[in-house]
Amino acid sequence: MRKKLKMQNSTHSAEYLMESEEENIRLEVKTDPDALRKQALWCGVKPGMRILDGGCGPGITTALLYELIQPGGSIVGVDFSKTRIAYAKENYGGKSGIGFHLHDLREPMEEFGQFDLVWVRFVLEYYRKGALDIVKNLKKCVKPGGTLCLLDLDYNCLNHYGMPSQLASILPKIMKYLDKKYNVDTFIGCKLYSFLYDTGFEEIEVELIAHNLIYGKIRDKDKFNLRKKIEIAAEKADEIIKSYPGGYLNFSNDLNNYLVDPRRFTYTPLLLCKGIKKL
Ligand SMILES: C[S@@+](CC[C@H](N)C(=O)[O-])C[C@H]1O[C@@H](n2cnc3c(N)ncnc32)[C@H](O)[C@@H]1O
């Protein structure tokens, strides 16, 4: 029997597709500090800056960004999940120049003031409808001459080679279902440039890199993250998965066998997009 994941019931974050008791740990484990540092350097993160980490999760990304802005920099992490903010405060808070606040990015942000750089990674993918409004809202927090950085996935969970055909044909159906039913956007990455363009940012630059690039023996942290993602997706897209030959158990076994097969090749394109707010 499949174990039902216990969902949290905090008001806003209940809308978040990935919400579960283990989401703090999943986000903590999957964060690759070296990859994040490279992304941050490309975005122009520098010592002395004041940064907003929008949708900061359990705080690990905020803490890594904080290191990059020393000496003299400060950072505010906001997230609409009570458990994520409590975890962030407990594990990464309590130092001067780093603060965490419970806040929904769709609500006015004036109380936080303005920032040299606003960083939003892996958040807009949960807003097929509403992503542009979040960008417009965040623009108000960027100082004139400051930078807005949007980092997100494209073709999320859909690039695999060597996958059995039954599995390869159900994955796009699952993602399409989640997009429609839960307002997720599997293809948000290719929209980021237009969000900055349409909101009047200048000197826009885009970079494309591989995320979750996996070949050969899978690392335990990748296996944990991918399994968790799939468990949650399967929970939410039960209607689709029950059509899989042999049902959920077969789906889960086939997927597990694919993930641990050292011949499989998988990755997700990650788009990094930055723009400057007019002076
Ligand atoms: C996939 S996690 C990404 C965490 C972190 N940014 C990173 O790069 O690992 C998405 C986070 O965004 C938060 N989130 C989603 N929608 C939000 C909103 N409207 N306002 C604030 N936080 C939000 C979720 O609670 C979750 O912690």
Side-chain angles (χ1 to χ4, degrees):
M1 276 292 281
R2 177 147 55 105
K3 196 176 93 189
K4 286 260 173 209
L5 290 164
K6 287 185 198 148
M7 299 298 156
Q8 291 165 341
N9 47 18
S10 116
T11 11
H12 296 291
S13 64
E15 294 167 46
Y16 171 53
L17 178 80
M18 298 303 292
E19 201 58 76
S20 88
E21 277 188 348
E22 288 175 302
E23 184 60 355
N24 285 339
I25 298 302
R26 185 187 76 86
L27 292 172
E28 176 99 23
V29 168
K30 90 178 182 83
T31 301
D32 175 342
D34 287 339
L36 182 127
R37 285 187 199 105
K38 280 187 201 144
Q39 294 159 21
L41 292 177
W42 183 87
C43 286
V45 169
K46 288 188 189 73
M49 279 183 157
R50 179 165 195 258
I51 293 190
L52 173 72
D53 183 3
C56 64
I60 180 167
T61 62
T62 325
L64 290 163
L65 294 170
Y66 174 80
E67 284 169 13
L68 296 174
I69 53 176
Q70 298 317 309
S74 64
I75 189 158
V76 173
V78 302
D79 201 287
F80 70 175
S81 152
K82 281 185 193 156
T83 48
R84 225 122 301 135
I85 289 298
Y87 184 99
K89 283 184 175 167
E90 194 180 328
N91 291 280
Y92 301 107
K95 276 186 275 189
S96 138
I98 184 163
F100 295 99
H101 301 272
L102 183 66
H103 195 84
D104 190 320
L105 298 176
R106 294 165 295 184
E107 300 293 332
M109 303 281 295
E110 279 75 15
E111 66 190 270
F112 301 109
Q114 285 200 312
F115 296 86
D116 299 304
L117 188 143
V118 172
W119 163 280
V120 191
R121 191 180 80 147
F122 305 151
V123 178
L124 298 179
E125 64 188 271
Y126 297 99
Y127 294 94
R128 191 168 64 97
K129 289 190 197 125
L132 181 61
D133 289 333
I134 291 179
V135 174
K136 285 181 185 161
N137 198 28
L138 288 173
K139 185 181 177 190
K140 297 178 199 148
C141 300
V142 181
K143 274 185 190 163
T147 308
L148 177 60
C149 306
L150 308 176
L151 299 88
D152 231 312
L153 304 173
D154 204 23
Y155 278 84
N156 197 351
C157 297
L158 292 181
N159 294 285
H160 308 280
Y161 185 71
M163 184 173 261
S165 57
Q166 299 191 140
L167 211 47
S169 69
I170 201 166
L171 279 185
K173 290 182 196 151
I174 295 174
M175 297 312 287
K176 199 169 173 187
Y177 179 87
L178 295 175
D179 279 6
K180 210 165 161 200
K181 184 144 186 209
Y182 293 95
N183 199 26
V184 176
D185 197 335
T186 303
F187 305 102
I188 192 82
C190 64
K191 300 179 182 170
L192 302 179
Y193 168 77
S194 70
F195 292 157
L196 291 184
Y197 185 90
D198 292 345
T199 48
F201 281 87
E202 295 184 335
E203 298 174 47
I204 303 172
E205 287 180 50
V206 180
E207 177 69 307
L208 171 62
I209 55 180
H211 180 69
N212 283 340
L213 173 65
I214 303 171
Y215 52 90
K217 187 174 182 309
I218 194 165
R219 296 181 303 175
D220 285 345
K221 62 193 283 185
D222 289 330
K223 197 167 152 192
F224 172 76
N225 174 39
L226 291 172
R227 289 261 7 133
K228 270 282 140 266
K229 264 181 117 163
I230 286 151
E231 261 180 41
I232 291 176
E235 177 82 20
K236 305 269 165 102
D238 206 31
E239 244 177 79
I240 305 293
I241 290 176
K242 66 185 180 204
S243 70
Y244 193 77
Y248 176 78
L249 266 185
N250 261 4
F251 168 79
S252 176
N253 286 340
D254 288 354
L255 196 57
N256 202 42
N257 292 338
Y258 174 73
L259 290 179
V260 297
D261 180 356
R263 183 177 180 272
R264 72 55 207 99
F265 183 87
T266 177
Y267 73 101
T268 301
L270 169 61
L271 273 301
L272 284 64
C273 217
K274 62 178 174 183
I276 308 284
K277 183 167 158 178
K278 271 187 202 155
L279 276 173

